Amino acid sequence: MKRRLLFGERMLLGDGTEPFNAVIPFRLRGTFKEEDIQQALHQIQAKHPWLRALITYDDQHIPWFEIPERSLPIPVRIVSRKGEDDWQEESKKEWQTTFLYEKLPLIRFVWIKGEEVSDMLFVLHHCLCDGGSAMAFLYEFLQVLDNPAADIGIEQPILGIQDVVPEAILNNRRQKLKAKFIGRLAATAIKCIPVGKKAVERQNDYLIHWKLDEAKSRELIAYCKSNDVTVNTFLSAAVLQAFRKVRGKLAFNKVSCPVDIRRFAPQIKNDHIFAFGLMIVLSAHDKMSFLDNVRLMQEAVERKTAKLNPYITMMVMESGHDALNNFTKLLKQGKSSNDCMFSNLGRIQIPHQYKAFMVDTIFSPSVIGPLGNTTTLVSSTFRGEMDFSFVGSEGYLPYSEALAIRDEMMKTVKQQIESLAV
């Protein structure tokens, strides 16, 4: 089985010399045997073909996912657990470690082994799948780790754009011409945008992690519900306000927010291994109260989300493979135009109590790559607690400013929750 990488996947893959890795960390309470972990990994590989895939190149040097005749297991690295924050240090190591994807799968596993508590990391190349896919196979891994006889099914993998875009749209002459025209227009525009001679020097990468306790998380959700705004929009507004207060004129007043394509393309199932995403960009409004600003931003979210069209977007991108190098160069060497990317995974629908172990926590994933500004905030909620992973690089956002932005965000959360109580 094989399929050619889509435009977005090729962009994330790059040339193999620079890692673009996502890390999914979680903490389990219990005791484990290495062979049981290996068996659970084997079972999720058996379900998902692309977790067994390598990257091969055709005679035009186009990359393909290809499953070898003899499947290779997910590599496992074991380290001794010494402290609560070991998972953060191991995450940073894994960001920097490239995948030898022509010889090994695009996923690996780290077991930070303790006597009664273990931290574990799934590490995957971002071209392989998004956060939704990662949460799906994490759920399956926990199922079969607890009960090897559990039936997690078999994925019918996506084999190309034809499995996502309905045939009536994909083969519609008008839609094909529209996609090609937009693609050519975008390719021409990209060539004309000036870029620097070299990419910004990232310098040291960092991870800042924190949680909101269950009570504060519940109060924040109640605040958002009472004001008819989503937690995602509230946190986006808090991020933008924090950047403005800390960075002043250096702030761009723009935050990029991924939107799950599964909301618009039902062909992509929750457990599909797939990496294509949609995006909206949000800005705050000056000279109004925080709550009025959030409400106005919520209107913008709904308006922009309604305009998203995953089918045409995919068709446009697939018409532009010849512009890939110019687009990648623009992302790497063009001037940064947004403050950060913010992704809220929402409530993680994974049980915490199993027969053989307990899931103490699932930390918010982290991801970092070479395509421009690395500043990324990911949030999620597990067992009622909101969890935040803030990733950045000194060359884009100094660590001291990132800490100040975190503090400003939490200050805003506290103030708004208190205003609801009043």
Side-chain angles (χ1 to χ4, degrees):
M1 187 185 294
K2 62 187 293 188
R3 79 162 170 87
R4 195 174 85 155
L5 270 68
L6 301 172
F7 181 94
E9 294 166 339
R10 285 185 65 189
M11 182 181 70
L12 295 171
L13 180 72
D15 63 4
T17 62
E18 298 173 297
F20 202 145
N21 299 348
V23 179
I24 318 296
F26 53 102
R27 176 171 293 161
L28 304 184
R29 292 189 179 274
T31 56
F32 307 92
K33 296 177 182 177
E34 185 178 354
E35 55 264 35
D36 294 336
I37 290 173
Q38 295 275 13
Q39 177 60 29
L41 294 173
H42 172 74
Q43 287 180 256
I44 64 168
Q45 272 190 304
K47 171 175 178 173
H48 300 287
W50 303 133
L51 296 187
R52 309 193 297 271
L54 308 180
I55 297 292
T56 60
Y57 290 87
D58 62 22
D59 53 8
Q60 295 180 306
H61 205 66
I62 303 296
W64 292 67
F65 291 123
E66 183 169 359
I67 299 168
E69 288 185 15
R70 185 180 177 184
S71 294
L72 297 163
I74 293 173
V76 176
R77 181 168 65 88
I78 302 174
V79 296
S80 295
R81 188 175 190 269
K82 298 174 183 175
E84 293 282 296
D85 297 331
D86 288 359
W87 68 272
Q88 296 187 38
E89 294 308 311
E90 295 302 326
S91 294
K92 294 173 194 174
K93 285 181 189 176
E94 292 297 336
W95 293 344
Q96 310 297 337
T97 306
T98 54
F99 279 92
L100 303 175
Y101 51 61
E102 294 182 70
K103 298 179 180 179
L104 293 170
L106 292 146
I107 181 170
R108 54 183 180 252
F109 189 84
V110 181
W111 178 14
I112 307 171
K113 184 178 179 181
E115 289 186 11
E116 296 179 359
V117 178
S118 287
D119 294 329
M120 300 181 182
L121 315 175
F122 271 111
V123 186
L124 52 106
H125 198 295
H126 198 16
C127 77
L128 184 68
C129 70
D130 62 5
S133 299
M135 289 300 118
F137 69 69
L138 171 57
Y139 176 41
E140 294 159 359
F141 169 79
L142 293 170
Q143 279 184 289
V144 292
L145 181 62
D146 186 54
N147 176 18
D151 181 10
I152 57 174
I154 298 292
E155 179 196 358
Q156 298 299 315
I158 291 169
L159 297 174
I161 189 173
Q162 71 279 359
D163 287 344
V164 178
V165 181
E167 186 180 1
I169 297 174
L170 188 62
N171 296 324
N172 181 285
R173 185 172 179 272
R174 184 178 176 186
Q175 299 288 12
K176 286 164 74 175
L177 288 172
K178 177 183 177 182
K180 193 168 185 178
F181 174 74
I182 296 172
R184 291 299 90 203
L185 198 65
T188 303
I190 287 167
K191 283 183 181 179
C192 298
I193 297 173
V195 296
K197 291 183 179 180
K198 61 179 182 178
V200 171
E201 189 178 340
R202 263 166 58 175
Q203 302 174 42
N204 291 332
D205 300 323
Y206 54 80
L207 168 62
I208 302 171
H209 171 262
W210 73 97
K211 283 181 178 289
L212 272 183
D213 64 32
E214 192 173 353
K216 286 284 188 293
S217 300
R218 190 167 54 246
E219 289 170 355
L220 175 54
I221 292 168
Y223 172 93
C224 292
K225 284 183 177 178
S226 70
N227 288 295
D228 292 322
V229 298
T230 64
V231 172
N232 191 77
T233 304
F234 175 96
L235 292 174
S236 296
V239 166
L240 289 170
Q241 179 169 285
F243 267 88
R244 186 174 70 249
K245 286 188 175 182
V246 173
R247 305 214 79 199
K249 292 181 179 179
L250 292 177
F252 296 101
N253 190 29
K254 287 183 181 179
V255 60
S256 303
C257 298
V259 179
D260 190 351
I261 191 173
R262 294 165 185 80
R263 290 172 54 184
F264 306 92
Q267 299 86 341
I268 306 172
K269 307 304 180 187
N270 287 337
D271 63 350
H272 266 135
I273 301 298
F274 197 61
F276 188 90
L278 301 170
M279 193 80 67
I280 60 174
V281 177
L282 300 177
S283 296
H285 306 270
D286 290 334
K287 298 178 182 177
M288 61 174 59
S289 71
F290 181 84
L291 182 55
D292 287 341
N293 177 52
V294 175
R295 286 172 173 156
L296 208 55
M297 285 178 66
Q298 186 64 53
E299 291 177 14
V301 168
E302 291 162 9
R303 188 170 61 250
K304 291 181 177 186
T305 303
K307 291 180 179 178
L308 292 174
N309 187 328
Y311 304 136
I312 291 298
T313 302
M314 286 190 74
M315 290 170 68
V316 167
M317 294 178 77
E318 288 310 290
S319 73
H321 277 265
D322 59 334
L324 179 68
N325 289 338
N326 286 331
F327 188 55
T328 302
K329 184 178 180 181
L330 174 65
L331 291 175
K332 284 185 175 183
Q333 297 173 215
K335 287 186 177 180
S336 181
S337 60
N338 72 326
D339 293 301
C340 81
M341 181 177 290
F342 169 59
S343 177
N344 178 28
L345 296 180
R347 190 159 68 92
I348 296 175
Q349 306 275 7
I350 292 178
H352 81 273
Q353 190 65 59
Y354 292 81
K355 290 180 181 178
F357 56 83
M358 185 185 80
V359 184
D360 183 277
T361 190
I362 298 172
F363 302 104
S364 292
S366 62
V367 61
I368 198 163
L371 300 180
N373 191 346
T374 58
T375 313
T376 304
L377 176 64
V378 181
S379 66
S380 61
T381 302
F382 182 69
R383 299 182 68 185
E385 293 185 334
M386 283 191 191
D387 184 277
F388 298 85
S389 288
F390 192 8
V391 171
S393 306
E394 289 276 0
Y396 287 102
L397 179 68
Y399 179 71
S400 59
E401 292 186 10
L403 289 173
I405 287 166
R406 175 202 61 188
D407 294 344
E408 282 293 340
M409 273 188 67
M410 292 303 99
K411 182 179 175 183
T412 298
V413 169
K414 183 180 178 183
Q415 287 174 340
Q416 295 305 311
I417 288 173
E418 287 175 352
S419 72
L420 179 66
V422 171

